Amino acid sequence: MEKITQTLCTAMNSDSFVRVIFADRRKKSTEYRKVTLRPVSIKGEYMYQAEYHYDKKVTHRNISYFEGISFAEKLIEEDFKQINILTEDEDIQILASKPDKPHITRSRASHKKQSLDHDRKKQHLLQEGQPADFLVELGVMSEDGHVRKQHYGKFRQINRFLEIADNCFSDLPSRGTLRVIDFGCGKSYLTFALYYYLKKIQNRDVEIIGLDLKEDVIEFCSGVAEKLNYSGLKFLTGDIADYKAADRSDNRPAADMVVTLHACDTATDYALINAVSWGSSVILSVPCCQHELFRQINEPVNAPMLKHGIIRDKFTELLTDALRGLKLEAAGYDVNMIEFTSMEHTSKNIMIKALYNPKPEAMKKASLEYEALKSFYNVNPTIDRL
C-alpha cells in the first residue's frame, strides 16, 4: 500500500491535480459502482468532493483536505481494485488487486483542471490576462496581464488569499474607513493584494499599515506604494510585540482587520494579542516556526512518541495552534483552521481564521478546554497573555 499512498500524496497535493477515479469493485455487494474524488473550494476552504455512482443515482460527500488521503486509502483497501489518477501533467493507472503489490502505469495527460469552486461559476478575483497594477510592478505579471511562469505559484497564493478575504468581507464594518494592520508583511505581495481588493474591487476607503523589522523591505514597499499612488497604504519598520496602534477619531477599533502571515514563533502570538485587545472584527493568521513549546511539553503518556525530535516538532506546532484557536474562541471569536496554500508551496499552510462573534456559553467552554489542554501537556504558551 505504501507505493499507492506515495503516488496519491504526490498527485493530490499537486497544483495540477484534476481528479481520481475508483472503479472495479472488490465485492459485488458494494452498492456504488464507482467513486470520483476532485478538489473543490467551499466558502474559501480547499476540500475534496467525493461523487458516489450507484445504478440509479449519484450522491456527493465533501471531505476536508486533511482527510483526503486516508479516505482514498480506505476506498482502495475495502472497495476498489482500479484507481485512475488524472493530473494536468500525466494520467496514472493503478491496478491494485493486491494493494501491497500494485501495477502502476503512466501516460500522457488527457484532462485539464476545472474551476475548484463548488458552483463552478465563481472565478478568481484576479484573472490572468487582466493586468493588475501592483502585480505588474512586483513582476508577477507582464504589462499585458500575462502571469510570468516563475511567479505562477505566487499568483495562485495571492488569489487564494483574496478568496479567503472575500469570504470575510461581510464581517467587516459596512461603513467608514477600514483599517487593516499586516504584521510581518515582508515583501508585501499579499498586503498590496488586500489594498487592491478593498479599494479597487470593493470600493472602500481603506487604510492599511504593513509592519516589518527589515528596513530595506519597508523602503522597497513604500516606494512601490508611492509609485502606484496607493495613498492609503503605509509601511513602517517595527516589532510586532512593541507596536502601538494610533487611536481613531470615530471610536472604532484600532484595526478592523489584522493579518499576520508567517510571523515567526511567538510573533504570531503578539499579533493575535494585539488584535484581540483592539477588538478587531477579522483576524487572518498563518503561523510559522512554532518552537516555543518544543522544550516545555512534558507529558508521560506521549513521551515515547515525543522523544523523536521531528515528531516532537510537528506535534508542538499543532498543539500551539490548537491552543491559539481555543484562546481566540474564549475571547469571543468563531475560529476555523483552514488550508492556506498547498503543501507543495509551503509546509506552513494552516491559516487561523477568526471572526468576532461573542457567544458566552461557547467562550466559557473554550476557556475550560484551553486550561485543560495546557495543563495536560504542562505548557505555558505566550498566547496565555491574550
Side-chain angles (χ1 to χ4, degrees):
M1 192 67 185
E2 184 178 351
K3 284 186 179 180
I4 296 177
T5 300
Q6 288 177 348
T7 305
L8 284 168
C9 286
T10 301
M12 291 174 65
N13 289 327
S14 167
D15 288 333
S16 67
F17 177 58
V18 178
R19 67 176 177 270
V20 56
I21 304 165
F22 304 88
D24 193 4
R25 290 176 288 188
R26 293 187 181 280
K27 298 174 290 187
K28 291 184 179 180
S29 59
T30 302
E31 295 183 16
Y32 34 85
R33 297 179 291 103
K34 179 176 73 172
V35 176
T36 64
L37 191 67
R38 71 178 182 92
V40 293
S41 179
I42 300 176
K43 294 183 179 180
E45 182 175 358
Y46 186 96
M47 304 179 72
Y48 296 108
Q49 185 178 84
E51 188 173 80
Y52 292 81
H53 294 255
Y54 297 81
D55 287 333
K56 295 183 179 180
K57 66 177 181 179
V58 175
T59 63
H60 297 87
R61 173 185 168 191
N62 295 326
I63 299 158
S64 75
Y65 168 80
F66 298 101
E67 296 174 328
I69 299 298
S70 58
F71 173 81
E73 288 177 324
K74 187 175 180 181
L75 282 178
I76 297 166
E77 290 173 343
E78 298 180 2
D79 297 330
F80 295 106
K81 296 185 285 186
Q82 179 174 319
I83 307 96
N84 290 87
I85 304 171
L86 308 178
T87 75
E88 291 185 310
D89 301 320
E90 62 179 344
D91 291 357
I92 305 170
Q93 184 182 73
I94 303 175
L95 301 179
S97 294
K98 297 179 180 179
D100 290 335
K101 295 181 179 179
H103 179 66
I104 302 175
T105 57
R106 300 171 187 267
S107 58
R108 183 179 299 176
S110 60
H111 289 73
K112 290 290 185 182
K113 193 171 183 178
Q114 296 178 320
S115 169
L116 294 186
D117 295 291
H118 190 236
D119 59 11
R120 298 294 187 94
K121 293 179 181 179
K122 183 181 174 183
Q123 294 183 320
H124 287 313
L125 289 166
L126 302 177
Q127 293 288 315
E128 184 166 9
Q130 299 177 13
D133 55 2
F134 77 97
L135 291 177
V136 173
E137 187 62 32
L138 292 173
V140 176
M141 277 184 171
S142 62
E143 291 187 359
D144 61 0
H146 176 72
V147 178
R148 301 185 190 280
K149 185 177 180 179
Q150 67 270 32
H151 293 304
Y152 216 92
K154 178 60 68 177
F155 181 69
R156 285 194 294 267
Q157 184 194 48
I158 290 169
N159 264 308
R160 171 64 175 150
F161 176 69
L162 291 183
E163 285 174 9
I164 296 169
D166 185 59
N167 189 247
C168 300
F169 182 71
S170 61
D171 291 274
L172 292 168
S174 58
R175 296 181 180 178
T177 299
L178 292 174
R179 181 186 279 180
V180 181
I181 298 180
D182 184 354
F183 287 115
C185 60
K187 197 174 178 182
S188 301
Y189 291 95
L190 302 182
T191 321
F192 282 103
L194 189 60
Y195 182 89
Y196 185 92
Y197 164 78
L198 291 171
K199 184 73 174 179
K200 299 196 176 185
I201 296 179
Q202 295 293 348
N203 296 312
R204 291 297 302 269
D205 289 330
V206 62
E207 176 188 343
I208 297 183
I209 298 169
L211 186 75
D212 202 276
L213 287 170
K214 299 176 181 177
E215 293 184 4
D216 57 334
V217 168
I218 293 302
E219 184 178 352
F220 169 80
C221 293
S222 297
V224 173
E226 184 177 358
K227 184 174 182 179
L228 295 174
N229 196 30
Y230 282 13
S231 57
L233 180 56
K234 307 294 182 186
F235 293 94
L236 304 173
T237 304
D239 191 326
I240 293 172
D242 300 328
Y243 182 75
K244 303 296 181 185
D247 293 331
R248 300 171 76 175
S249 58
D250 54 4
N251 294 319
R252 290 259 294 273
D256 299 299
M257 181 178 186
V258 169
V259 177
T260 169
L261 305 176
H262 299 134
C264 192
D265 203 16
T266 57
T268 291
D269 298 296
Y270 288 113
L272 298 178
I273 290 166
N274 277 326
V276 172
S277 69
W278 297 330
S280 302
S281 300
V282 176
I283 303 171
L284 299 179
S285 175
V286 179
C288 184
C289 308
Q290 299 95 314
H291 296 314
E292 183 184 29
L293 303 188
F294 187 89
R295 296 189 183 281
Q296 291 187 23
I297 192 168
N298 179 21
E299 199 288 300
V301 173
N302 289 314
M305 173 180 73
L306 299 176
K307 69 181 181 181
H308 302 288
I310 189 170
I311 294 177
R312 189 184 188 94
D313 185 55
K314 291 181 182 296
F315 185 82
T316 52
E317 283 185 7
L318 297 174
L319 178 61
T320 301
D321 288 341
L323 288 167
R324 286 166 172 161
L326 285 171
K327 198 67 172 174
L328 287 168
E329 289 176 1
Y333 287 81
D334 287 336
V335 175
N336 284 307
M337 303 279 181
I338 62 177
E339 186 203 28
F340 175 44
T341 58
S342 72
M343 293 292 287
E344 181 180 285
H345 185 79
T346 173
S347 61
K348 312 297 183 182
N349 73 330
I350 294 178
M351 173 179 279
I352 301 173
K353 183 176 78 171
L355 308 175
Y356 191 60
N357 183 26
K359 298 185 282 276
E361 286 301 316
M363 293 166 66
K364 182 179 179 181
K365 180 174 181 287
S367 182
L368 292 172
E369 290 175 340
Y370 173 84
E371 292 298 332
L373 191 61
K374 189 181 78 161
S375 176
F376 183 80
Y377 286 106
N378 294 296
V379 293
N380 292 288
T382 296
I383 197 64
D384 209 33
R385 305 179 194 178
L386 189 149

